[in-house]
Amino acid sequence: MAIFKGAGVAIVTPFKDNGEVNYPEFEKMIEFQIKNGTDAIIVCGTTGEAATMSEEEHMDVVKFCIDKVAGRIPVVAGTGSNCTQTAIELSKKAQEYGADAVLLVTPYYNKATQGGLYAHFGAVAKEIDIPIILYNVPSRTGCNILPETAVKLAKDFDNIVGIKDATGNISQTIKMMSLAEGSIDLYSGDDDQIVPIMSVGGIGVISVLSNVAPQQTHEICAKCLEGDYETARELQFKAYPLVKALFSEVNPIPVKTALKLIGFQPGPLRLPLTELEPNNQEILKNEMKKYGLL
């Protein structure tokens, strides 16, 4: 059974001006997501700036999210690392805290071979019982899980059940799904490819757009799951200009600005990320108006 179907939000982590996590604001964001139909929350992923957190802080944020969601929808904890032992420790802690699943990004900087990727993910899978979603985002990590490797992992380890595909390579995705024979749940990792990914067997998206448009992102997925691809396609087209604006600079720079514009207080970004450039702020604001968010 799938961890979730539909739109899972890759939720932002709000910070105070002094750099500490703003937990009261984070709770508001969690409640906003649940109220507006988000199907799952993915905490401490790329969008949550997990790469700038200490391990203790990282897991405190994960636990807070799990506790506040309180079983209303699934919570997937980002626990990936380029150090296999660290990924194991974070994943075991997430399981202890009650996460429904973990999201494991490919080891960044190390640039493991396919054999190394198999060994890395397999090592984590052996240490936990909860489901694992692999996260393939070569543009950020310099490392690509090839279709054969993803499928072998899914078939060899019962708890490796899904993959977040942010390759942007639909040909690779199709090859993987053709080899998988139903052994792997596919989630789009790109908001501009929800419909294409779901049309070849995907069951949802792990979304940045959902931070500001949870209902709309859920609806795109819902129409795909209903088989109404004509409506889903139109909704995808409508969202495209806003999605483009949300990725005008590296994620999560634009989406933190977008959250400010709809009344949240996401706070500053942690270095090395910096604030959205003024011209891109104007573009983002205009696209949010056109989309009906402002």
Side-chain angles (χ1 to χ4, degrees):
M1 185 175 175
I3 299 161
F4 74 93
K5 292 184 178 181
V9 62
I11 199 164
V12 159
T13 305
F15 298 118
K16 299 176 183 178
D17 288 341
N18 65 1
E20 295 175 357
V21 176
N22 186 339
Y23 284 105
E25 193 66 16
F26 192 35
E27 183 173 4
K28 290 179 187 176
M29 291 178 176
I30 290 167
E31 294 302 327
F32 171 73
Q33 289 297 322
I34 294 173
K35 180 181 177 181
N36 286 282
T38 284
D39 299 291
I41 292 179
I42 293 77
V43 60
C44 285
T46 304
T47 311
E49 296 178 77
T52 66
M53 294 181 187
S54 69
E55 290 174 27
E56 181 181 6
E57 186 179 39
H58 182 144
M59 295 315 300
D60 284 347
V61 172
V62 167
K63 187 176 189 304
F64 181 88
C65 185
I66 292 166
D67 290 347
K68 292 302 176 183
V69 171
R72 287 175 287 174
I73 57 175
V75 174
V76 180
T79 55
S81 174
N82 65 338
C83 170
T84 303
Q85 190 57 41
T86 300
I88 289 170
E89 291 168 4
L90 296 178
S91 299
K92 289 171 73 173
K93 190 66 79 171
Q95 175 172 302
E96 177 188 329
Y97 289 161
D100 295 281
V102 296
L103 180 72
L104 297 180
V105 70
T106 49
Y108 39 89
Y109 189 77
N110 308 51
K111 297 180 71 171
T113 63
Q114 295 303 301
L117 290 174
Y118 181 87
H120 171 81
F121 291 123
V124 181
K126 290 173 185 175
E127 294 291 334
I128 61 172
D129 301 315
I130 59 175
I132 293 169
I133 301 174
L134 308 177
Y135 179 15
N136 197 18
V137 58
S139 64
R140 279 190 178 265
T141 65
C143 191
N144 184 18
I145 309 173
L146 294 180
E148 295 83 355
T149 305
V151 171
K152 182 171 174 54
L153 282 162
K155 290 184 176 180
D156 289 354
F157 297 95
D158 290 342
N159 57 338
I160 296 181
V161 301
I163 188 164
K164 176 184 176 182
D165 188 328
T167 63
N169 184 343
I170 196 71
S171 296
Q172 176 173 306
T173 306
I174 290 169
K175 181 179 181 181
M176 179 181 68
M177 293 304 283
S178 70
L179 294 172
E181 300 174 316
S183 64
I184 194 162
D185 290 332
L186 172 65
Y187 298 96
S188 175
D190 294 309
D191 285 307
D192 61 355
Q193 292 195 6
I194 300 171
V195 174
I197 291 285
M198 292 188 72
S199 74
V200 297
I203 60 171
V205 62
I206 295 177
S207 170
V208 175
L209 175 64
S210 284
N211 278 281
V212 292
Q215 288 180 319
Q216 296 90 330
T217 314
H218 166 85
E219 189 67 10
I220 296 171
C221 294
K223 291 301 178 185
C224 288
L225 291 169
E226 292 168 11
D228 184 1
Y229 280 96
E230 184 175 350
T231 303
R233 185 170 60 245
E234 291 306 314
L235 293 172
Q236 177 86 84
F237 291 162
K238 182 181 179 183
Y240 178 73
L242 175 56
V243 171
K244 188 176 180 182
L246 284 170
F247 288 88
S248 59
E249 294 179 27
V250 68
N251 178 52
I253 292 173
V255 74
K256 277 204 155 180
T257 299
L259 282 164
K260 288 178 192 174
L261 290 170
I262 63 169
F264 287 101
Q265 297 176 13
L269 294 129
R270 286 186 171 176
L271 289 171
L273 301 185
T274 52
E275 296 301 317
L276 190 64
E277 294 294 332
N279 61 316
N280 287 328
Q281 289 186 32
E282 282 305 307
I283 292 168
L284 177 60
K285 190 173 182 178
N286 288 336
E287 293 303 341
M288 291 178 72
K289 285 179 180 176
K290 290 177 187 176
Y291 198 62
L293 297 180
L294 300 177

